Amino acid sequence: MTPTDVHTLTDEALVEAIVKDNNTLLFEVLYDRYASMVYNKCYGFANGVDEAKDLTQDVFLRVFVKLGSFKGRSKFSTWLYAFTYNHCVNYVTRNTAKKIEKKSISSDSIENIGEDVDSTREFQNMRVEKLKKVMELISPDEKMILLLKYEDNLTIKELSEALDIGESAVKMRLKRAKEKLVQKYENYTKNGESI
């Protein structure tokens, strides 16, 4: 296989070839395709550039080891998104003293949450700046599913495949996370809670 052939392979074909021979050179191609996406996701959970780089390296080391568990039920990029989020959530959970950086949440993705919430008026009336702060008050798992849905625009089906849970479970988790966000937002605006 020539270097040109390698770069034209689909992600799924590349993964298959890597798993077959444990080929680190082919893995570098996959790394090049997704390093910046994974870094950007990790940066949102890290306290600075160095920590984000370390998290990114951790993710790719674990991805290499776990690549055989990719079953192709979802796109590789979807699987990698969920893998990265799960790794970062576990990292944050293990390091509870560390706060998730607020700047990881863009105003656009926050506004997206408000658009698709079963016409919940509370969401539509939320102010973006307050909502950013309130996102830090919910659990990393709740934050993860909301960001996957509204920042990365994954469908319910993609979330189901990536998280390896049923679509009804995805909908229930999203519903609970949104309800928690609304509740925290109301408490925050009512009591002027400080973060």
Side-chain angles (χ1 to χ4, degrees):
M1 203 180 290
T2 68
T4 309
D5 294 339
V6 168
H7 290 285
T8 60
L9 286 176
T10 65
D11 292 342
E12 291 71 21
L14 200 52
V15 168
E16 199 176 311
I18 293 165
V19 170
K20 185 179 168 199
D21 300 325
N22 233 10
N23 190 323
T24 54
L25 293 175
L26 288 179
F27 188 72
E28 285 179 25
V29 176
L30 205 58
Y31 176 89
D32 289 343
R33 285 182 190 177
Y34 289 103
S36 62
M37 181 277 286
V38 170
Y39 172 80
N40 289 335
K41 294 297 158 212
C42 290
Y43 187 77
F45 287 87
N47 290 316
V49 171
D50 290 339
E51 193 174 39
K53 285 179 182 173
D54 290 346
L55 267 173
T56 302
Q57 291 304 317
D58 286 351
V59 166
F60 278 105
L61 283 170
R62 289 168 199 268
V63 163
F64 186 73
V65 171
K66 296 277 189 185
L67 216 45
S69 69
F70 172 67
K71 302 295 181 221
R73 287 196 302 259
S74 63
K75 291 189 306 190
F76 176 75
S77 57
T78 303
W79 181 83
L80 183 59
Y81 268 172
F83 191 96
T84 302
Y85 270 111
N86 279 323
H87 179 75
C88 291
V89 165
N90 290 335
Y91 173 81
V92 169
T93 304
R94 282 194 309 270
N95 300 285
T96 49
K98 295 180 180 180
K99 283 273 191 187
I100 298 171
E101 284 286 329
K102 291 172 180 62
K103 61 181 167 273
S104 66
I105 304 166
S106 71
S107 297
D108 292 346
S109 63
I110 290 293
E111 286 162 1
N112 288 346
I113 291 173
E115 285 171 10
D116 183 43
V117 184
D118 321 320
S119 55
T120 305
R121 288 207 173 166
E122 296 96 317
F123 263 112
Q124 292 162 354
N125 297 330
M126 287 182 176
R127 300 222 178 273
V128 170
E129 283 309 308
K130 285 183 182 172
L131 192 51
K132 277 187 186 183
K133 290 179 179 168
V134 174
M135 282 290 276
E136 306 311 317
L137 299 175
I138 61 176
S139 77
D141 280 331
E142 291 162 336
K143 181 178 178 179
M144 174 185 77
I145 200 162
L146 289 173
L147 290 179
L148 280 170
K149 176 79 175 98
Y150 299 105
E151 187 172 70
D152 296 319
N153 299 313
L154 296 189
T155 64
I156 297 294
K157 186 177 188 314
E158 287 173 326
L159 282 167
S160 167
E161 291 164 347
L163 300 173
D164 205 20
I165 58 176
E167 289 186 26
S168 58
V170 169
K171 289 175 186 171
M172 184 55 69
R173 285 191 192 180
L174 275 169
K175 183 177 183 289
R176 286 186 185 143
K178 288 185 285 192
E179 285 170 354
K180 179 79 74 65
L181 200 61
V182 169
Q183 177 197 356
K184 294 282 187 189
Y185 182 88
E186 286 172 351
N187 288 345
Y188 178 77
T189 53
K190 210 179 289 175
N191 305 329
E193 282 180 18
S194 58
I195 306 285

